[in-house]
Amino acid sequence: MNEKILVADDEREIADLVSLYLENEGFEVLKCYNGAEALQAVEAGELDLAILDIMMPEVNGLEVCRRIRQKYNYPIIMLTAKGEEMDKITGLTMGADDYITKPFLPLELAARVKAQLRRYKRYNTGAGGDDVLELSGLTLNVKSHECLLNDRPLNLTPTEFAILRILCQHKGEVVSAEELFHLIWADEYYTKNNNTITVHIRHLREKMGDSFENPKYIKTVWGCGYKIEG
């Protein structure tokens, strides 16, 4: 069965163009032109990925993202205006997995969609690696996408879960932000000023109650990357 993608953007030309490209790639597309319609689509059926414009009437994309994350773990890609750095950071903090800045090439967005779906299937359905990872009070069940910290459940987004899984699988080793990016998204769009991983790490630490200054779990190795020690 083809993956079902939600495309929500009040700029009809963009929504129509993105939908056309995704349909040509074999995806089933649900198209919405405002946030209220997007929320109805979220509640109406099973989705595999959502593409949300941040600036939508009635309900903005950030609120739609937040509402999705209350119930679902599938990937979310945010569409942001050029130069709106705070919108990007806010979107990632709300639980988005990736963002792309307007104007963009539809083929690039299609590539991001494919990368997100590959990552989601790989890191959230038990494909590859141990089904259960345990260290220092942290338990990750790859098949059920459950994470416990000292028996307390953590509500992680797919990307947060993937980052934590990679670090656990490489416990004691330093993994750079660039390596994390490529392992999760499997694409070539990483640039040195890309702060996507940094934002996800910060949000992970907040959920784990971990200190930035003296972290117990995710440690920053300055100039190199991140690691978890078992």
Side-chain angles (χ1 to χ4, degrees):
M1 189 169 66
N2 295 342
E3 289 98 338
K4 188 180 293 186
I5 311 296
L6 169 65
V7 175
D9 195 318
D10 63 311
E11 295 185 68
R12 288 176 177 262
E13 296 84 358
I14 292 178
D16 293 346
L17 183 61
V18 168
S19 298
L20 178 62
Y21 270 82
L22 292 177
E23 286 169 351
N24 286 340
E25 294 288 341
F27 297 111
E28 180 181 347
V29 178
L30 293 179
K31 190 166 45 178
C32 300
Y33 299 119
N34 61 61
E37 290 179 359
L39 287 175
Q40 290 176 359
V42 168
E43 294 301 323
E46 293 294 324
L47 297 173
D48 295 289
L49 183 143
I51 300 171
L52 308 174
D53 180 41
I54 286 184
M55 300 300 293
M56 288 190 292
E58 298 190 38
V59 182
N60 66 38
L62 295 174
E63 176 61 17
V64 176
C65 176
R66 188 187 71 80
R67 298 271 287 275
I68 290 174
R69 280 291 171 256
Q70 289 177 346
K71 296 178 63 176
Y72 304 107
N73 288 319
Y74 53 74
I76 300 172
I77 299 175
M78 305 300 295
L79 304 181
T80 69
K82 186 175 182 180
E84 297 296 327
E85 191 67 25
M86 283 308 300
D87 281 345
K88 298 173 185 176
I89 293 173
T90 303
L92 293 171
T93 301
M94 288 281 190
D97 298 281
D98 198 6
Y99 61 82
I100 189 166
T101 303
K102 296 179 179 180
F104 55 83
L105 295 174
L107 284 175
E108 180 185 352
L109 180 57
R112 297 286 188 97
V113 166
K114 292 177 183 177
Q116 283 293 334
L117 290 171
R118 283 196 304 269
R119 186 269 308 149
Y120 182 62
K121 291 176 182 177
R122 179 179 180 186
Y123 288 108
N124 296 279
T125 60
D130 297 329
D131 290 341
V132 178
L133 300 170
E134 295 182 298
L135 69 154
S136 302
L138 188 65
T139 302
L140 278 77
N141 188 314
V142 176
K143 282 192 173 181
S144 63
H145 186 82
E146 292 177 309
C147 178
L148 300 176
L149 181 59
N150 298 321
D151 297 322
R152 176 175 63 91
L154 299 181
N155 184 21
L156 303 182
T157 69
T159 298
E160 291 164 358
F161 190 90
I163 289 172
L164 201 52
R165 178 181 177 182
I166 291 168
L167 292 176
C168 287
Q169 288 174 327
H170 294 81
K171 65 179 180 181
E173 303 174 14
V174 178
V175 184
S176 71
E178 184 172 359
E179 286 177 297
L180 283 169
F181 190 93
H182 288 304
L183 284 169
I184 294 169
W185 284 285
D187 66 19
E188 69 277 16
Y189 298 114
Y190 182 85
T191 58
K192 292 300 182 183
N193 62 352
N194 191 315
N195 62 0
T196 305
I197 295 296
T198 303
V199 174
H200 285 305
I201 291 285
R202 185 179 69 196
H203 210 213
L204 259 175
R205 283 175 171 154
E206 290 172 357
K207 290 183 177 182
M208 298 172 76
D210 213 5
S211 165
F212 174 79
E213 293 79 11
N214 188 27
K216 180 181 178 183
Y217 300 101
I218 303 175
K219 299 183 178 180
T220 300
V221 181
W222 295 109
C224 298
Y226 306 95
K227 70 174 179 177
I228 284 182
E229 293 176 338

